Amino acid sequence: MNIHTVGIIMNGVTGRMGANQHLARSIVAIRKQGGVRLGPDETIMPEPILVGRNENKLKKLCDEHGLKAYTTDLDGVLSDSRYPVYFDALTTNQRVPHVQKAIAAGKHIYAEKPTADKLADALALHRAAEAAGVKHGVVQDKLWLPGLMQLKYLLDHRCLGRILSVRGEFGYWVFDGFRQPCQRPSWNYRAAEGGSILIDMFCHWRYVIDNLFGPIARLTALGATHIPRRVDENGRPYDCTADDAAYAIFQLQDDTPVQFNSSWCVRVRRDDLLTIQVDGTEGSAVAGLRHCWVQLDSYTPRPVWNPDIEQPIDFFEHWQQVPANQTYDNAFKVQWELFLRHIVKDEPFRWTLLEGAKGVQLAELGLKSWRTRTWVNVPELDV
């Protein structure tokens, strides 16, 4: 067996997303399956070293997953040639200087999004990586969710006809901590620490819209801080300075309207925490995280408006679930495997730091639209 060992510096994996999705369900899962198989006699084996400030947390994660390597000395490990890849899952306001340092050390870069809280910084990371000749990628996990992959199949095969509109609903109720414990980190609601649902989710919506529906021409957005005070992890009340909801309309270059609501202040009465409804001339589809439903023209009921009687139509009855004709792996793990193949075999990988910068651009324009109460154009990036 020809084994390509790839050392990965994993910075920030003591946090919820880094520990669960990137370490446990991606890198550790890849190791347990015997690596990324390139053929019957060839595989890629990731070899992580965990980096952070809290040595006890790092050791606990290593013990939990059967790993040995961890350090609190980032500069030291950046100079170690055994680890050619740097992964960053820190909070957004810490990402730019750490990624810059890794690029300067000649490391290939894989980073969570947003890659920065300002477009200029996000573009600077892309330009620095290109100038250094290192490979680079950004996490865009939702593209490999089963529900969205099934929706993309319907779109690619024109099953819905001409697309008329798209509506996305994302979020759930995050408790404020006064009556029940808050289930998200407090930094999410502090602007100075990189919190903002608009910045976070617009980076997602950029790559989802670009890859499923087409390029965005303009947008209008409204943000809000609906819950003004919450309780942090140590039981201390604090004032919320970041938005916890964002409402947007994106108009595509072909004039298709795409609406997305993102909120930590909404109680869910829909199929999933994320649902995307696409309406077309020949049918409609609703995609959640893991499933997708379709209603074609021939199965569409004929409602008649009459509020004086009970609704005789069960509007869920005439939808068909799109069959899962393949086995779906964890979305984060799928992209990790593609990035590792890119590192070792130079296979194409188009989800680069430039794509990350596009997400930051959309977030920055969303904030501008909210501030000015205007429609804002989305120009091509000058790289």
Side-chain angles (χ1 to χ4, degrees):
M1 177 69 71
N2 181 17
I3 301 176
H4 305 275
T5 301
V6 178
I8 304 172
I9 301 165
M10 303 192 73
N11 194 6
V13 293
T14 55
R16 177 179 57 90
M17 182 69 71
N20 293 332
Q21 295 290 12
H22 290 290
L23 182 60
R25 298 169 194 166
S26 294
I27 296 302
V28 172
I30 290 170
R31 288 169 58 83
K32 287 182 177 178
Q33 75 182 18
V36 181
R37 284 300 180 100
L38 302 174
D41 301 314
E42 189 176 15
T43 190
I44 303 170
M45 182 61 69
E47 192 67 49
I49 182 169
L50 310 189
V51 181
R53 294 174 298 180
N54 190 315
E55 186 171 357
N56 291 331
K57 288 184 178 180
L58 295 171
K59 184 179 185 305
K60 182 179 179 181
L61 279 173
C62 283
D63 291 344
E64 181 180 345
H65 296 296
L67 304 173
K68 295 181 180 179
Y70 65 90
T71 181
T72 58
D73 181 11
L74 176 61
D75 290 340
V77 77
L78 283 176
S79 65
D80 192 332
S81 61
R82 293 176 299 171
Y83 299 98
V85 176
Y86 172 81
F87 170 67
D88 192 291
L90 297 167
T91 56
T92 304
N93 62 341
Q94 300 181 71
R95 184 156 297 130
V96 171
H98 287 84
V99 172
Q100 286 175 331
K101 185 179 289 188
I103 292 172
K107 304 299 183 183
H108 303 301
I109 304 298
Y110 191 51
E112 259 292 353
K113 39 103 330 257
T115 52
D117 52 15
K118 294 182 178 62
L119 175 59
D121 290 338
L123 283 173
L125 292 182
H126 165 72
R127 291 168 183 147
E130 287 289 292
V134 300
K135 296 177 178 178
H136 48 95
V138 175
V139 178
Q140 304 202 326
D141 55 285
K142 287 180 173 52
L143 296 179
W144 292 275
L145 289 171
L148 270 64
M149 291 179 68
Q150 292 167 17
L151 174 60
K152 190 173 189 321
Y153 177 90
L154 297 176
L155 295 170
D156 288 347
H157 290 82
R158 297 186 170 275
C159 299
L160 309 180
R162 181 171 58 88
I163 301 306
L164 306 175
S165 65
V166 179
R167 295 193 305 280
E169 292 282 346
F170 171 79
Y172 49 90
W173 186 263
V174 177
F175 290 96
D176 59 17
F178 288 100
R179 291 180 293 273
Q180 295 193 48
C182 185
Q183 70 269 40
R184 290 190 66 84
S186 60
W187 71 262
N188 285 187
Y189 307 98
R190 293 181 166 116
E193 297 180 28
S196 166
I197 195 171
L198 190 155
I199 294 175
D200 185 12
M201 299 315 301
F202 274 39
C203 291
H204 280 297
W205 304 151
R206 180 63 188 263
Y207 70 75
V208 168
I209 294 170
D210 280 355
N211 284 273
L212 268 65
F213 309 113
I216 303 169
R218 60 195 61 85
L219 68 92
T220 184
L222 176 69
T225 304
H226 289 310
I227 307 297
R229 282 178 64 77
R230 295 180 181 270
V231 177
D232 68 16
E233 295 81 356
N234 298 311
R236 293 190 295 261
Y238 66 95
D239 293 329
C240 300
T241 54
D243 51 280
D244 52 22
Y247 312 93
I249 302 174
F250 308 101
Q251 189 174 30
L252 304 187
Q253 290 182 7
D254 65 4
D255 290 334
T256 304
V258 178
Q259 304 173 60
F260 264 96
N261 293 331
S262 312
S263 178
W264 302 133
C265 309
V266 60
R267 293 176 175 87
V268 179
R269 186 178 169 87
R270 54 184 186 269
D271 293 306
D272 213 330
L273 301 184
L274 167 66
T275 57
I276 300 175
Q277 177 158 340
V278 183
D279 292 305
T281 54
E282 303 300 323
S284 297
V286 176
L289 299 176
R290 300 198 59 80
H291 303 288
C292 184
W293 296 264
V294 63
Q295 184 178 99
L296 300 179
D297 183 71
S298 56
Y299 282 87
T300 302
R302 186 190 296 271
V304 176
W305 174 261
N306 187 348
D308 298 322
I309 63 172
E310 293 291 332
Q311 176 55 249
I313 300 174
D314 178 356
F315 288 108
F316 288 91
E317 181 182 2
H318 301 93
W319 292 81
Q320 295 175 297
Q321 188 170 331
V322 177
N325 290 332
Q326 66 180 86
T327 300
Y328 298 98
D329 210 341
N330 177 279
F332 291 85
K333 177 172 175 280
V334 171
Q335 195 180 6
W336 262 109
E337 292 185 343
L338 291 172
F339 186 69
L340 289 170
R341 296 176 75 101
H342 176 57
I343 294 296
V344 173
K345 290 295 187 178
D346 203 29
E347 293 184 5
F349 189 89
R350 58 187 176 84
W351 306 280
T352 63
L353 283 169
L354 180 59
E355 295 303 302
K358 291 179 182 178
V360 178
Q361 177 197 36
L362 197 70
E364 199 168 87
L365 293 174
L367 292 171
K368 178 180 178 180
S369 175
W370 175 17
R371 184 176 65 253
T372 61
R373 298 298 199 270
T374 59
W375 281 86
V376 176
N377 291 330
V378 180
E380 291 286 334
L381 285 179
D382 181 12
V383 296

